Amino acid sequence: MVLKSKRIRSAGFVEKLSFLFKCPVCASKMKVVEPASLKCEKGHSFDFAKQGYINLLPRPVKTKYGKELFEARRKLMADDRFFEPVIREIAKSALQLPAEPLYILDTGCGEGTHLNGICQMVEDRGKNTVCVGIDLAKEGILVAAGTYEGKIWCVADLADTPFMDETFNVILNILSPSNYAEFSRLLKPGGRLIKVVPKSGYLQELRTAFYADSEKETYSNEETVERFQEKFRLTDRKSIQYTKKLDRSSLEVLVAMTPLAWNADERKVAAFLQKTPKAITVDLEILIGEK
Ligand SMILES: C[S@@+](CC[C@H](N)C(=O)[O-])C[C@H]1O[C@@H](n2cnc3c(N)ncnc32)[C@H](O)[C@@H]1O
Ligand SMILES: [Zn+2]
């Protein structure tokens, strides 16, 4: 028996779900055509990549995130379970919705570990899901598609997504930029936007080590919460705070994936990595909104 390539398998998987898509060029309906492309009624065509994802950007975009960074994120999130309590809380909120299956879109999904974890928890509770992850960074989607099967992974812009109106019950937006007009267009009636934003204590050990006494040492999410409330009815907000002990290799990963550390003084970074393990604070807020 000849095994089907990942490209062909992904195209086969998306075929039944092609009603979700709209052409990124002309906004018309799309369908999967042989051997492995998504094509619109007017003939604009997008090929599945050999890793199984699909690039639906009308023109390439260069982002500042590389593949190593997403591999590092995957290690910290999947192996060290750095965000486990956050993922659990999000899955709990998604499970309150009656829809079956639950159509979930993660906007700015990075390397896909959160979406995978959330979908797994929802499915473990007996609810079927259709999970779609999008990110502008091809390198993140590459890692996602290479690691997590049974989901749709697309390179796409969350401000102008290649999906039809009212297609998702849940939109996730975890530590990523938002576009509320687009999220509102995509949400089904009764659907939920679940946005995760940092609070003042988030990664405070990094802030203190690299930016003591400078304005970067503090952070407030007030403005973000205000903007959310201008566009969505805030139905719930949950603060989550905990510390997680990380060993040296995990701390190196954390430093590599945190923009906060990229511009820090090298000597301060080296000093920070000297004394391990270290307890690192996760301080986040989950905002839940409806249209
Ligand atoms: C800080 S990372 C968070 C990634 C992931 N949600 C997580 O929590 O691990 C922000 C992500 O948003 C993505 N991003 C930024 N602008 C975007 C856009 N316009 N459309 C889609 N993704 C975007 C970046 O490429 C990056 O992967
Ligand atoms: Zn088209």
Side-chain angles (χ1 to χ4, degrees):
M1 193 181 78
V2 182
L3 280 179
K4 283 187 189 163
S5 71
K6 192 150 189 187
R7 195 169 156 248
I8 302 290
R9 268 187 287 143
S10 292
F13 177 68
V14 170
E15 195 166 14
K16 300 173 287 293
L17 297 163
S18 53
F19 61 87
L20 295 172
F21 291 88
K22 76 168 194 190
C23 175
V25 179
C26 71
S28 65
K29 282 188 194 159
M30 304 192 89
K31 65 173 189 208
V32 172
V33 295
E34 296 216 336
S37 307
L38 203 52
K39 195 171 182 180
C40 84
E41 292 173 339
K42 297 199 174 138
H44 302 118
S45 183
F46 299 82
D47 295 338
F48 283 82
K50 70 171 189 291
Q51 298 86 351
Y53 71 90
I54 183 154
N55 188 336
L56 287 163
L57 282 177
R59 61 203 80 78
V61 173
K62 208 157 172 48
T63 70
K64 55 181 187 290
Y65 300 117
K67 189 155 184 255
E68 301 74 39
L69 180 134
F70 288 110
E71 295 282 11
R73 263 193 120 78
R74 200 205 57 73
K75 182 186 174 307
L76 192 71
M77 299 303 176
D79 302 351
D80 291 320
R81 304 164 90 84
F82 193 53
F83 265 38
E84 175 88 5
V86 185
I87 297 309
R88 195 164 290 287
E89 206 52 60
I90 294 175
K92 225 163 80 186
S93 172
L95 276 161
Q96 288 167 351
L97 294 173
E100 173 83 40
L102 213 51
Y103 287 85
I104 304 178
L105 173 69
D106 189 359
T107 58
C109 66
E111 84 305 331
T113 310
H114 300 331
L115 179 63
N116 183 65
I118 292 161
C119 290
Q120 188 117 39
M121 282 182 195
V122 171
E123 300 227 336
D124 286 350
R125 298 285 297 273
K127 197 188 259 298
N128 290 315
T129 62
V130 172
C131 293
V132 184
I134 62 168
D135 203 287
L136 203 52
K138 187 173 97 182
E139 290 71 17
I141 294 297
L142 254 172
V143 176
T147 317
Y148 306 113
E149 294 249 356
K151 299 182 175 51
I152 301 178
W153 301 109
C154 307
V155 183
D157 184 355
L158 64 81
D160 184 15
T161 67
F163 305 111
M164 292 289 180
D165 295 358
E166 303 191 345
T167 34
F168 295 98
N169 303 103
V170 177
I171 294 183
L172 306 174
N173 182 238
I174 306 174
L175 303 177
S176 296
S178 292
N179 186 298
Y180 295 112
E182 185 68 354
F183 295 168
S184 176
R185 181 183 77 75
L186 293 172
L187 266 187
K188 284 178 189 284
R192 274 183 190 177
L193 168 62
I194 304 180
K195 179 173 176 70
V196 177
V197 294
K199 284 185 69 178
S200 61
Y202 186 57
L203 308 184
Q204 70 186 36
E205 295 77 11
L206 269 68
R207 273 173 211 281
T208 308
F210 305 153
Y211 298 108
D213 306 323
S214 89
E215 62 178 31
K216 277 195 180 162
E217 203 193 344
T218 54
Y219 170 83
S220 156
N221 69 18
E222 230 168 272
E223 267 182 44
T224 313
V225 177
E226 265 171 37
R227 250 175 287 134
F228 183 102
Q229 280 186 287
E230 281 165 18
K231 308 287 169 143
F232 275 79
R233 195 159 53 83
L234 187 63
T235 52
D236 204 358
R237 59 194 290 188
K238 291 197 177 89
S239 288
I240 299 199
Q241 191 182 47
Y242 56 95
T243 60
K244 181 103 188 155
K245 216 172 236 179
L246 297 180
D247 64 16
R248 178 165 178 130
S249 75
S250 299
L251 282 171
E252 281 173 0
V253 163
L254 181 71
V255 165
M257 63 166 234
T258 310
L260 193 66
W262 297 349
N263 302 319
D265 182 333
E266 269 175 41
R267 279 164 306 178
K268 287 188 178 169
V269 175
F272 177 79
L273 293 171
Q274 273 299 315
K275 262 177 74 188
T276 57
K278 258 193 181 63
I280 299 292
T281 306
V282 175
D283 184 19
L284 298 165
E285 189 157 32
I286 304 178
L287 308 175
I288 299 174
E290 288 176 17
K291 283 205 256 186

